[in-house]
Amino acid sequence: MTPHPAPSRRTVAKGALLGAAAVLFGASSAEAAAAPARAAGAQAEPPDLRLPAPTGPHPVGLRTFALTDPSRPDPWVPGVREVMISVLYPARTVRGFPRVPQLTPAEAGEFAVLAPLVRPGLPAAGVDWGAVLTHGHRDAPPLPGRRPVLLYTPGGGDCRTLGTALAEDLASHGRVVVLVDHPGDASQVELPGGMRWTVLTGPPDPATFRTMIDTRVADLRLVLDRLGDLPLASVMDPRRIGVYGHSAGGTAAVHALAGDDRISAGVNLEGYLDLDPELVAGLGRPLLMFRTDGFEGAARIDSSWAGVRARRVLLPHAAHWVLSDYAHLVPQLQAAGLVDAGARAALVGTGDTRRATAVVRHGVRSFFERRL
């Protein structure tokens, strides 16, 4: 996978993006090319997509911050490294504080173009991605008290907010959750200075994957370094920190857990662990790992997880992206006639995604409750 300068939305070459989707996000080029055609005729009223409500006793507040590391160059574009984070936390009250959309208006416009390319099977039209609301209330006052902090790093190509539902559930049960975006890797990220798109195209090579994971781990360390400077520092307990991630984020989460003494426990949501076998083999901290029975990379998961000391959970009749917010969005799109059964199966599996969500929520929450 090789980097190239970030394209503008209007100059992006669809052929290059289709090829990138095929290798970066696990689909054949034929599937990628067919996805927009399947949905091209959808002209109905956009479906009212909803994320599941959190199950905890606390309402959820949300604040967004931009962090800059002046000492570290961005590996994908000229300039210093910048990241965006969303902090979710139990709120004292949410009255008068609006719910936050999952994507900003600008991000939603970009994702409408990129969605069927980075996730083949998603519709090319007929979805108002900017209308999806989270259950986080912007700038709501936090509930007093110091609480454990959990860092989340998303799947390759995903923006941080596609891990919203699990993060909200954890926050509603008394955790502070920090969703971390990785510009240049994510499909799109709106930074204070403008939009960043993914710069990854072509077949993945070991050097680029190494850069991708090392950059994510460095981003997580930057966030840890700056937690004490955030306006919400008073409700964060720096002695109780966990990390979790999906896919490439799972890989990065385990690497961060193994290499940073500030992190006490981690969860890997179906990420490969063959990048640094010796580092992973020497991991002596609590680790929980989820996998699905429908992931096309199952053989690599099996081999790279062999010998790793961790508790494992298998989700039956499920596919890779059920471990993200696609678990909730894809079935609704199918019900609206915008996603077919084959695409649903490839993205999230054929099973009950609500059941899978409940298992993941309970498992992750219980694990961190015991370990932090």
Side-chain angles (χ1 to χ4, degrees):
M1 195 176 295
T2 54
H4 63 74
S8 73
R9 182 181 174 190
R10 291 178 176 84
T11 61
V12 118
K14 279 195 173 183
L17 276 177
L18 287 168
V23 297
L24 180 58
F25 308 109
S28 70
S29 57
E31 288 172 330
R38 284 198 297 267
Q43 300 294 329
E45 187 73 16
D48 183 17
L49 299 179
R50 300 184 180 186
L51 297 175
T55 62
H58 305 296
V60 177
L62 187 152
R63 295 192 66 178
T64 301
F65 303 96
L67 304 179
T68 301
D69 185 352
S71 67
R72 181 164 53 110
D74 192 294
W76 311 117
V77 296
V80 299
R81 184 65 175 167
E82 298 177 276
V83 300
M84 293 296 297
I85 63 172
S86 296
V87 183
L88 293 81
Y89 51 89
R92 178 171 52 81
T93 180
V94 294
R95 181 173 297 178
F97 296 90
R99 287 169 62 183
V100 181
Q102 187 174 31
L103 298 173
T104 68
E107 288 172 337
E110 301 302 326
F111 189 68
V113 174
L114 295 172
L117 307 178
V118 298
R119 294 288 173 262
L122 291 181
V127 183
D128 183 0
W129 296 105
V132 182
L133 290 178
T134 72
H135 294 87
H137 295 258
R138 191 186 311 278
D139 297 330
L143 194 68
R146 284 188 175 270
R147 306 180 183 280
V149 180
L150 305 177
L151 273 57
Y152 171 72
T153 171
D158 278 351
C159 59
R160 69 189 187 278
T161 57
L162 282 168
T164 290
L166 177 55
E168 288 180 339
D169 194 65
L170 291 165
S172 76
H173 284 274
R175 307 293 179 262
V176 176
V177 184
V178 183
L179 305 179
V180 183
D181 245 328
H182 305 287
D185 176 348
S187 53
Q188 80 292 315
V189 182
E190 186 173 13
L191 293 164
M195 191 70 65
R196 282 279 301 275
W197 296 264
T198 183
V199 299
L200 302 177
T201 63
D205 61 80
T208 303
F209 186 63
R210 164 65 68 183
T211 299
M212 184 175 167
I213 299 303
D214 286 351
T215 300
R216 284 167 169 256
V217 172
D219 290 345
L220 294 173
R221 288 175 177 162
L222 171 65
V223 174
L224 290 175
D225 290 343
R226 301 290 177 81
L227 288 180
D229 301 328
L230 296 177
L232 293 165
S234 63
V235 298
M236 300 182 187
D237 187 347
R239 299 166 301 174
R240 293 186 289 168
I241 293 176
V243 63
Y244 69 105
H246 174 226
S247 196
T251 306
V254 175
H255 281 232
L257 176 66
D260 196 312
D261 290 339
R262 293 172 292 183
I263 306 174
S264 300
V267 176
N268 174 13
L269 303 173
E270 204 158 55
Y272 299 132
L273 296 181
D274 53 7
L275 188 60
D276 275 319
E278 292 184 2
L279 178 70
V280 173
L283 179 63
R285 294 172 189 157
L287 177 64
L288 171 65
M289 303 200 295
F290 283 84
R291 60 165 297 183
T292 66
D293 64 354
F295 182 36
E296 63 181 16
R300 184 176 173 188
I301 287 290
D302 286 340
S303 63
S304 69
W305 286 15
V308 177
R309 289 176 291 177
R311 182 188 166 208
R312 293 162 167 77
V313 178
L314 176 67
L315 299 176
H317 313 295
H320 190 57
W321 302 105
V322 79
L323 294 160
S324 71
D325 284 349
Y326 289 118
H328 324 295
L329 301 173
V330 169
Q332 294 176 72
L333 292 171
Q334 184 187 22
L338 295 174
V339 165
D340 63 30
R344 181 232 164 93
L347 287 164
V348 299
T350 59
D352 185 348
T353 57
R354 293 170 297 182
R355 172 61 181 163
T357 293
V359 170
V360 173
R361 280 179 162 185
H362 180 268
V364 174
R365 184 174 71 244
S366 299
F367 173 78
F368 282 127
E369 283 176 354
R370 292 193 307 271
R371 301 303 184 177
L372 299 180

